[in-house]
Amino acid sequence: MKLLLFILLTIFYLQLYSQNDSTAQVSSRLKFSYTSSLIYPGISFGGEYPIYQTIKIKSRNQKKIMREHFISVNGAWYHHNYFHDNYYFTIGYNYRKTGNNGFFYEFCSGIGYSITIPDGKVFIVDDNGNVKNDFKTYSHALFSVASGMGF
């Protein structure tokens, strides 16, 4: 926990003391989406905080390439019928490269925390055959790596 807090404070400290180019339009972005498999619904929300952005223009064909580095913070929920609900929160580093035509590819990595809540009653049977009703939530750390592309 202390390491995560140190990383966040370092990133925001560097952002405060960096020079700002008044011609660059870099701003935070908010995200909200429906995320699921075919039959299990869920939602996702979050934000992206830019760290660094470069725009490169090739003079021969006027091709513009934008590279962005940012921190993302996300929260999500999904429901698996008759099994469980899952809530998870992640923070990560993202790199995105966008071409002149709007096509982009990106790489994301992050860490997080997940809480799983069983849907319905959970029963535990001991070695003597005694049945006990037990309600537990399960939590664990998350490590994620993802890549994507699109328009």
Side-chain angles (χ1 to χ4, degrees):
M1 184 65 179
K2 289 180 182 179
L3 178 63
L4 180 62
L5 183 60
F6 173 76
I7 292 170
L8 287 174
L9 289 174
T10 302
I11 291 168
F12 290 116
Y13 176 82
L14 291 175
Q15 184 68 24
L16 287 173
Y17 286 98
S18 63
Q19 295 179 356
N20 188 10
D21 182 2
S22 60
T23 61
Q25 296 180 356
V26 180
S27 64
S28 299
R29 299 177 193 117
L30 298 178
K31 304 183 293 184
F32 182 78
S33 64
Y34 175 78
T35 176
S36 72
S37 65
L38 294 174
I39 56 175
Y40 306 120
I43 57 171
S44 177
F45 58 91
E48 297 174 345
Y49 183 76
I51 300 171
Y52 182 69
Q53 179 184 57
T54 60
I55 299 173
K56 184 177 182 180
I57 299 174
K58 294 186 178 180
S59 60
R60 346 176 250 207
N61 54 6
Q62 294 297 316
K63 187 175 182 181
K64 178 181 167 183
I65 298 172
M66 182 170 53
R67 291 182 174 96
E68 298 174 282
H69 302 262
F70 49 91
I71 298 293
S72 66
V73 178
N74 300 299
W77 161 83
Y78 72 86
H79 175 73
H80 187 290
N81 285 337
Y82 307 111
F83 192 54
H84 68 261
D85 285 307
N86 191 316
Y87 300 90
Y88 56 96
F89 307 94
T90 60
I91 183 168
Y93 166 79
N94 297 20
Y95 168 78
R96 182 178 297 145
K97 181 178 178 181
T98 307
N100 201 26
N101 58 359
F103 183 79
F104 71 90
Y105 70 87
E106 65 183 2
F107 171 79
C108 312
S109 62
I111 58 173
Y113 183 73
S114 173
I115 300 170
T116 303
I117 301 171
D119 188 21
K121 294 182 179 180
V122 177
F123 296 97
I124 296 176
V125 180
D126 64 12
D127 292 337
N128 298 329
N130 297 324
V131 178
K132 182 173 79 169
N133 185 2
D134 186 33
F135 182 78
K136 273 188 171 177
T137 60
Y138 303 96
S139 59
H140 55 276
L142 293 175
F143 301 97
S144 64
V145 176
S147 63
M149 60 183 169
F151 283 96

